[in-house]
Amino acid sequence: MMPPPYRSYVLVSLDRIARNYRNVCAAVGPGVEVMAVVKADAYGHGALAVSRTLVGEGAKWLAVSSVDEGVALRTAGIGVRILVMAGFLPQEREAVVQHDLTPTAHSLDDIAELDRMAGRAGRPLAFHLKIDSGMGRLGTRAQPQEIVAALGALGHARLEGLMTHFASAADFTSPQTGQQLARFQACLAALREAGMGVDYVHTSSTNAIGYARKDAWHNMVRAGHALYGYVSPARGAGPGQILDVQPALTWKAKILAVKDIPEGTLVGYGGTFRAPAAMRIAILGAGYADGVFHRLSNRGKVIAAGQIVPMVGTISMDLTTIDVSRAPELKAGDDVTLLGAEGDVRLDAQQIARAAGTISYNILSSISARVRRVYV
Ligand SMILES: *Cc1c(COP(=O)(O)O)cnc(C)c1O
C-alpha cells in the first residue's frame, strides 16, 4: 500500500477490533452480553467505523458517554441499543427520547425525571440505574430501600439494567473492588426481594474482565480498552490476564524536513535541547495539537526507519523534532511511526504513557480530530 498522503494519520485495523471483540465475547462466554464502549470517538479509533464493525460482529449494545455521541451514531444509521453512560442534561432530554437512546439514571431525581419524560413521550422508556458503590463519582448513593421506593413509584419508564463501576479493578493490593461489589449486591438483593427484576446487571469493564473477576461479570460486561487492544497492568499479585487482544491503531507522521546541525545548535522553543555533537534532525508534521504530549519534550521516542529514535527539543503545536543521525536514509516525505510497530520494533500506548506520565487511555483519546483516520 502507498502511504496515505496526510501529514499525520492513524491506520485503524477494523479486523483487529473485530477480533478483539470476539476474544472478549469468548472469554466471558455465551451467558454474558458484551456491551461495546465506543465513547470518545471509540478511544480515538473512529466511533462510526468501529460501531459498524462491531454491529457486523453481532454486537447488540454500544455505550457512549454523552447524548451527543449517541445522536451522532443514530443519525449515521446505527440501529442497535445505545447506552448513554455519563448522564443527560435538561436540554438533552428530548434528544434521548427522539433518538431512542438508553439513558443512565444517577440519582432518585433522575428516576423521577425519566418517568416524566416517558409519560410525556407516551411510549416505553427503558433506563439503567447506576449505583455509586464506592467510586465516588457518578451514581446514586441512596440506600437500597430508598431506591426500591423510587422504582416502585414508576408509572411509565422501566428499569432495565443495574450497574456500577469499579475504581481499582486492576489493583490486587486494594480491597476496594470487593467492597464495591458487596455494596452493589446488597442493592441488587433489595430489588429482587421487592420483586423488581432487571434484565441486565453489569459492573465490569476491561480490567475486571481481563483479570477474571468472574463474580463481577453477571450477565453483561462493558468493554472499552480491551476492544482497542489494551488491558492495564495489574498492581500486586493478580491472577493471570485472560484476554488475548492486540492494539489496532498505528499513528504516523510525515517528515517535513531533514537537516544537519552543528554541535551546540539549540532546537525548538526555549532552547531546551543543545546538540551535543554534529547531528541530523528531522522535523515531523505533528505536534501537541495532534495529540503528541508536550510532556514528551526531550523524552519521547518514535520509530524511524525501523529503529527507536528520540524526540529532541520541545514539542510544538504542529511540529516535533527527532534525532535521525542513525537513519541517514530518511528524507522529507517519509513516514515515521509515532505509535505502532515497524517490523519487530514496537511503541504502544502504554509505553508512550509511561514516558508522558499518563495512562494509555489518555494517549489514545488525545489523538486529535485533525489526524486523519484511515481504515485498513
Ligand atoms: C469508559 C467506561 C467503561 C469502559 O472502560 P474500559 O476500561 O475502557 O473497558 C465502562 N464503564 C463506564 C461507566 C465507563 O465510563
Side-chain angles (χ1 to χ4, degrees):
M1 185 186 93
M2 278 286 289
Y6 314 118
R7 63 174 46 211
S8 183
Y9 58 92
V10 296
L11 299 171
V12 176
S13 167
L14 295 172
D15 281 351
R16 266 282 161 78
I17 292 173
R19 245 187 293 153
N20 291 341
Y21 172 74
R22 290 196 296 268
N23 185 279
V24 174
C25 291
V28 296
V32 181
E33 188 76 42
V34 176
M35 177 184 273
V37 180
V38 296
K39 66 189 180 189
D41 204 27
Y43 297 41
H45 296 64
L48 185 55
V50 168
S51 297
R52 284 184 176 140
T53 299
L54 295 172
V55 170
E57 290 295 316
K60 296 189 174 52
W61 281 89
L62 301 175
V64 295
S65 270
S66 67
V67 173
D68 273 356
E69 290 179 334
V71 169
L73 292 179
R74 272 287 178 264
T75 308
I78 298 293
V80 300
R81 300 291 301 278
I82 300 176
L83 181 71
V84 177
M85 296 189 294
F88 53 97
L89 298 166
Q91 59 271 32
E92 294 173 330
R93 288 173 192 153
E94 207 179 302
V96 168
V97 174
Q98 190 190 332
H99 294 277
D100 198 20
L101 304 174
T102 304
T104 301
H106 293 115
S107 65
L108 304 185
D109 285 347
D110 277 354
I111 294 173
E113 181 54 47
L114 287 165
D115 202 40
R116 286 192 291 274
M117 284 161 59
R120 277 197 302 272
R123 58 175 160 124
L125 175 59
F127 69 91
H128 293 212
L129 174 64
K130 188 171 188 181
I131 307 298
D132 176 2
S133 58
M135 172 137 181
R137 206 180 60 177
L138 283 174
T140 179
R141 294 178 70 86
Q143 293 304 309
Q145 290 318 315
E146 298 174 291
I147 294 171
V148 166
L151 294 171
L154 287 173
H156 307 280
R158 180 174 77 87
L159 177 71
E160 182 186 35
L162 193 71
M163 62 189 283
T164 193
H165 194 50
F166 297 131
S168 308
D171 186 351
F172 290 88
T173 68
S174 157
Q176 193 175 7
T177 305
Q179 291 163 352
Q180 286 197 252
L181 200 53
R183 267 187 232 155
F184 180 80
Q185 296 286 13
C187 210
L188 185 61
L191 293 198
R192 291 198 167 137
E193 266 164 45
M196 295 174 176
V198 282
D199 301 344
Y200 297 105
V201 177
H202 48 111
T203 64
S204 290
S205 53
T206 292
N207 290 340
I209 304 168
Y211 294 106
R213 294 188 186 263
K214 294 187 185 182
D215 53 346
W217 289 354
H218 315 287
N219 68 347
M220 179 181 262
V221 294
R222 304 183 303 268
H225 217 31
L227 300 181
Y228 311 105
Y230 292 91
V231 179
S232 302
R235 281 195 71 199
Q241 202 283 104
I242 61 165
L243 295 174
D244 174 24
V245 293
Q246 291 178 332
L249 179 151
T250 300
W251 183 12
K252 301 267 191 181
K254 290 252 181 320
I255 294 177
L256 301 178
V258 172
K259 56 183 164 184
D260 293 309
I261 55 172
E263 179 185 342
T265 304
L266 301 180
V267 174
Y269 285 117
T272 62
F273 180 82
R274 175 186 296 270
M279 62 189 288
R280 179 171 287 192
I281 56 173
I283 296 93
L284 308 178
Y288 60 77
D290 300 276
V292 181
F293 275 59
H294 189 268
R295 277 284 301 278
L296 293 175
S297 298
N298 286 312
R299 61 166 88 177
K301 294 182 168 33
V302 307
I303 307 173
Q307 330 167 37
I308 298 275
V309 308
M311 296 177 178
V312 293
T314 304
I315 310 292
S316 306
M317 185 180 284
D318 312 303
L319 302 170
T320 296
T321 303
I322 59 172
D323 176 0
V324 293
S325 303
R326 289 185 296 132
E329 69 272 37
L330 286 169
K331 56 188 189 311
D334 289 345
D335 285 336
V336 307
T337 303
L338 300 175
L339 190 169
E342 291 186 16
D344 294 338
V345 181
R346 319 189 138 268
L347 195 54
D348 70 21
Q350 284 171 341
Q351 294 166 283
I352 297 170
R354 271 194 296 278
T358 181
I359 57 173
S360 50
Y361 294 71
N362 195 183
I363 299 295
L364 293 173
S365 63
S366 297
I367 303 174
S368 77
R370 80 173 178 188
V371 178
R372 300 288 284 261
R373 268 66 179 173
V374 178
Y375 296 96
V376 294

